[in-house]
Amino acid sequence: MKRGELIGWAAAAVVLAGLPQLLSLFQTVQLTVFVIFAMLALSLDFLWGIAGILSFGQAALFGVGGYVYGIVGIALGTTPFGLIAGMLGPAVVAALIGYVAFYGRVGSMYLAVVTLTLTLILYQVMGSTADPKYAIGDARLGGYNGMTNIPSLSLAGRGGPPLGPVEYFYVVGGLLFLALIFCVTLSRASFGRILQGIRENESRMELLGYDVRWRKLLAFVISAALAGLAGALFASWGNFINPEVFSLPQAAVVVIWVLVGGRGTLWGAILGTVVVQYLTSLVGEVGAIYTTIVLGSMLVAIVLLFRRGLAPALMDGVVRVVRRRSGGVAAGR
């Protein structure tokens, strides 16, 4: 890892640690959910940006993780185990779907349709669970009203005090930081380089002797686990989850986050999420009559002006500034 990159990681850690000291309590709570959504976007960028597999099912896996966390948290009262279960549940779902899709040689576009269909099916199914008989232990699914009384995250064991807003932000931010490091490291390893080769030309990678099927399956499972972790953190943050997480707008907005930030950059997915969610919040606060139109126009403008995304545009700008300063110093000598 280069020196400049190490400085960037250190600066990001310092900024993350200092944000709660600069923001109000409300802003900290709001930023926490932005960070949770950023983890969801990161999961898609790893799958789509690195492996070239477009999935409209990240929102579904996010929702599965949230529901599993709620069920485990209510049943056992052990929220750290709920986080683990929230990762394992979507990973198992992704393993089943991925095995059928990748070993069945389902095309990329068909996989996107399959994952979108799964999302809509879960939306309908979970919306039909309002009757009290639809319960797993003490956890009532609640239909469109959602699952309530989901316990907040506690690191003190069963029945321990829940984390406060600032503490929870540090936990969520730390997990996102670790997830980003994991994804970047994996993308630079042999496994990640092969995934990028599959993204560029799958047939050529097969001709070179690589079994692309299990690598795509593993990438899908890793992505699902990250999405499930985000869903579990979201359920813990709001003590509530409902079928809206399986809705079509939620499935589409995850793709938008990645496109705005810059597909394949990984950290760009985080930037895109924060920018889009901040604009959404800002437009909502000013009370625009046509909120969706105003926000949509902004996003279209961003995509047209920065076709590769905000992250590559930002990096290009930094490189140009550094080169100009280096050229000026050289000329002065």
Side-chain angles (χ1 to χ4, degrees):
M1 189 176 291
K2 297 180 180 179
R3 181 181 176 184
E5 191 172 0
L6 286 173
I7 294 174
W9 283 108
V14 171
V15 170
L16 190 65
L19 280 174
Q21 313 305 322
L22 302 175
L23 303 176
S24 67
L25 187 59
F26 171 78
Q27 290 172 325
T28 300
V29 172
Q30 186 181 46
L31 184 59
T32 300
V33 76
F34 290 1
V35 173
I36 292 171
F37 287 152
M39 185 178 294
L40 173 59
L42 175 63
S43 73
L44 178 61
D45 197 19
F46 177 76
L47 182 65
W48 186 27
I50 302 300
I53 304 170
L54 174 59
S55 168
F56 283 102
Q58 295 304 108
L61 298 169
F62 175 86
V64 170
Y67 272 99
V68 171
Y69 171 87
I71 293 168
V72 173
I74 292 173
L76 302 180
T78 308
T79 50
F81 182 71
L83 287 183
I84 297 173
M87 296 176 67
L88 291 177
V92 171
V93 173
L96 294 174
I97 296 173
Y99 181 82
V100 174
F102 300 133
Y103 280 83
R105 299 292 183 178
V106 174
S108 300
M109 291 306 300
Y110 289 105
L111 178 64
V113 173
V114 167
T115 53
L116 178 60
T117 303
L118 172 67
T119 303
L120 298 179
I121 289 174
L122 286 174
Y123 179 71
Q124 293 296 328
V125 170
M126 297 307 296
S128 304
T129 58
D131 194 289
K133 69 180 181 181
Y134 294 106
I136 301 176
D138 294 329
R140 292 179 54 180
L141 300 182
Y144 288 111
N145 292 324
M147 182 186 294
T148 57
N149 300 319
I150 297 175
S152 299
L153 182 64
S154 173
L155 301 181
R158 184 182 180 93
L163 296 175
V166 175
E167 295 170 323
Y168 193 67
F169 171 81
Y170 282 132
V171 169
V172 172
L175 288 173
L176 175 62
F177 196 74
L178 292 175
L180 179 59
I181 292 175
F182 172 75
C183 289
V184 170
T185 303
L186 195 59
S187 68
R188 294 176 179 176
S190 175
F191 175 73
R193 292 196 297 271
I194 294 172
L195 285 181
Q196 293 172 60
I198 294 171
R199 177 193 66 196
E200 297 301 325
N201 194 320
E202 183 174 334
S203 299
R204 180 176 295 176
M205 295 302 292
E206 287 186 311
L207 290 174
L208 289 173
Y210 294 104
D211 186 350
V212 303
R213 296 171 299 178
W214 73 262
R215 289 179 171 86
K216 291 167 67 175
L217 176 59
L218 182 56
F220 195 24
V221 171
I222 292 172
S223 171
L226 289 176
L229 176 59
L233 292 170
F234 178 76
S236 173
W237 172 81
N239 308 118
F240 168 82
I241 193 165
N242 70 358
E244 284 300 315
V245 294
F246 302 115
S247 65
L248 184 58
Q250 185 63 44
V253 77
V254 184
V255 178
I256 293 173
W257 291 336
V258 175
L259 285 176
V260 170
R263 176 191 165 200
T265 58
L266 295 178
W267 70 273
I270 299 172
L271 176 63
T273 303
V274 174
V275 168
V276 172
Q277 291 306 113
Y278 175 75
L279 289 176
T280 302
S281 175
L282 187 64
V283 171
E285 286 178 1
V286 298
I289 299 176
Y290 302 105
T291 303
T292 305
I293 296 176
V294 172
L295 179 62
S297 301
M298 290 181 178
L299 295 179
V300 169
I302 290 174
V303 172
L304 291 178
L305 291 173
F306 309 101
R307 297 194 176 185
R308 291 190 298 147
L310 292 176
L314 182 61
M315 290 302 298
D316 289 345
V318 171
V319 169
R320 283 196 295 269
V321 170
V322 171
R323 286 177 177 174
R324 286 177 183 174
R325 288 187 176 181
S326 299
V329 172
R333 291 178 181 177

